[in-house]
């Protein structure tokens, strides 16, 4: 089966996000004060063949870890899987 898999890399909650802070201060706050926090990250989209959603997720997690697409000390990853 074909799956669309999204990998999102963002700073951990305990790590400052200067890019997000800048976006918040100089862009978002021009329009609204209702946005409490803005975080900026990296987004990678994959289209893969796998036997299940779980297999697709595990494959992308392996690629992210072994391919060093993020630094586990300061980043966290979110993986979203959708069947095509």
């Amino acid at each position: 089966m074909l799956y669309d898999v999204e990998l999102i890399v963002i700073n951990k909650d305990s790590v400052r996000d200067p890019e997000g802070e800048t976006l918040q201060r100089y862009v978002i706050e021009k329009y609204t004060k209702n946005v409490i926090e803005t975080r900026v990250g990296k987004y990678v989209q994959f289209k893969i063949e796998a036997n299940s959603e779980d297999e697709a997720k595990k494959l992308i997690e392996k690629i992210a870890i072994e391919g060093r697409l993020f630094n586990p000390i300061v980043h966290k990853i979110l993986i979203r899987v959708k069947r095509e």
Side-chain angles (χ1 to χ4, degrees), residues 30-79:
K30 284 185 177 181
Y31 301 98
T32 183
K33 298 291 183 190
N34 294 346
V35 176
I36 306 304
E37 182 181 42
T38 302
R39 311 276 296 170
V40 175
K42 179 170 45 175
Y43 173 88
V44 184
Q45 184 177 18
F46 302 89
K47 187 177 299 282
I48 65 170
E49 284 189 28
N51 293 320
S52 67
E53 286 188 22
D54 191 50
E55 182 181 303
K57 183 177 181 177
K58 286 180 180 175
L59 175 60
I60 297 307
E61 185 174 32
K62 178 180 179 174
I63 290 169
I65 293 168
E66 293 180 10
R68 298 181 183 208
L69 298 181
F70 74 107
N71 178 346
I73 295 171
V74 295
H75 298 128
K76 63 181 178 181
I77 59 172
L78 305 168
I79 300 173

